[in-house]
Amino acid sequence: DVKVTQSSRYLVKRTGEKVFLECVQDMDHENMFWYRQDPGLGLRLIYFSYDVKMKEKGDIPEGYSVSREKKERFSLILESASTNQTSMYLCASSFGNKPSYEQYFGPGTRLTVT
Amino acid sequence: QQQVKQSPQSLIVQKGGIPIINCAYENTAFDYFPWYQQFPGKGPALLIAIRPDVSEKKEGRFTISFNKSAKQFSLHIMDSQPGDSATYFCAPQTGGTYKYIFGTGTRLKVLA
């Protein structure tokens, strides 16, 4: 079974703090993704990576950065957390060269910025 | 997000009913049309997917209908059960980009 794990299920941070969200997958997937999920807005792509040290901006990258130093690990960084970044953050991974395109999601991190 | 319109936003059906969730899209380059299911406290998981060379695909009680000319696809849940209560997302994709465009989600509640 593919497993995508996220470092925290719940996180509470203060405005201005630097926040790290970690994601690890165990299926040797090439692609990894970070989404945020908000009611009525669905899932919106923040960043994705198709290889180690490679990254591409998604639809809402402002206020976020990412790091992928190892194939299995993809980190999302909030340089200076703000209240409008309070959300559910979902990590996902997928094979890079198979036709199924299926994405496997972690359980999510609910981040509250106060 | 504007490329994909999912409806309805929420749906309540009786056990045994057939809820239908629709997804309309604009981008004719999409070549993979999945539905994801998300239970509370969990990440989404692939439920069923279709490619544009077929008009219908059935897996158990779940069926996708695909209408290429109308640029829409639908999820039908036959003999719905309370355990099907979840949020459903359409997420069409263009293969070369590995990126999905997720719909806004449909919260389904099946009453016992």
Side-chain angles (χ1 to χ4, degrees), chain B residues 89-102:
Chain B
F89 294 95
C90 63
Q93 185 185 30
T94 305
T97 67
Y98 304 111
K99 287 168 61 176
Y100 286 142
I101 305 295
F102 278 87

Side-chain angles (χ1 to χ4, degrees), chain B residues 10-22:
Chain B
S10 63
L11 195 50
I12 301 174
V13 300
Q14 294 288 338
K15 179 182 173 182
I18 306 176
I20 300 172
I21 306 171
N22 300 299

Side-chain angles (χ1 to χ4, degrees), chain B residues 1-47:
Chain B
Q1 288 290 69
Q2 294 175 349
Q3 296 184 55
V4 175
K5 288 186 179 177
Q6 184 175 339
S7 62
Q9 199 169 20
S10 63
L11 195 50
I12 301 174
V13 300
Q14 294 288 338
K15 179 182 173 182
I18 306 176
I20 300 172
I21 306 171
N22 300 299
C23 189
Y25 62 93
E26 297 172 3
N27 188 349
T28 55
F30 289 143
D31 61 357
Y32 179 67
F33 300 89
W35 286 94
Y36 278 74
Q37 181 187 53
Q38 183 180 29
F39 293 108
K42 306 278 188 184
L46 179 66
L47 179 63

